[in-house]
Amino acid sequence: MPQLLLLAAVGAVAWLGYKRFVAEAERVSARVRDAEKETRTGAQGTLIEDPETGEYRLRKPDE
């Protein structure tokens, strides 16, 4: 029985690690696509509108 619990714990950790890896890969891929798009268009950043003030500002890397 302890072997089964250990195997289940290892499986759960592996599954969570895989999910985190996939999420990080998607985030990095999106960031690379945005950088390629900015390079192609010659832009120096992406403007986004602040919903509270209505002003535009440069998008931060973590957004």
Side-chain angles (χ1 to χ4, degrees), residues 27-61:
R27 185 186 67 80
V28 169
S29 180
R31 184 181 241 176
V32 168
R33 277 194 310 270
D34 289 345
E36 288 174 350
K37 185 177 177 183
E38 287 179 2
T39 302
R40 228 182 9 254
T41 61
Q44 295 183 2
T46 301
L47 292 176
I48 58 171
E49 183 180 8
D50 185 5
E52 295 175 3
T53 63
E55 296 177 351
Y56 285 89
R57 61 176 172 77
L58 282 176
R59 183 180 61 170
K60 298 175 185 171

Side-chain angles (χ1 to χ4, degrees), residues 6-20:
L6 181 63
L7 182 62
V10 168
V13 169
W15 182 74
L16 289 173
Y18 173 74
K19 288 299 213 178
R20 277 196 149 169

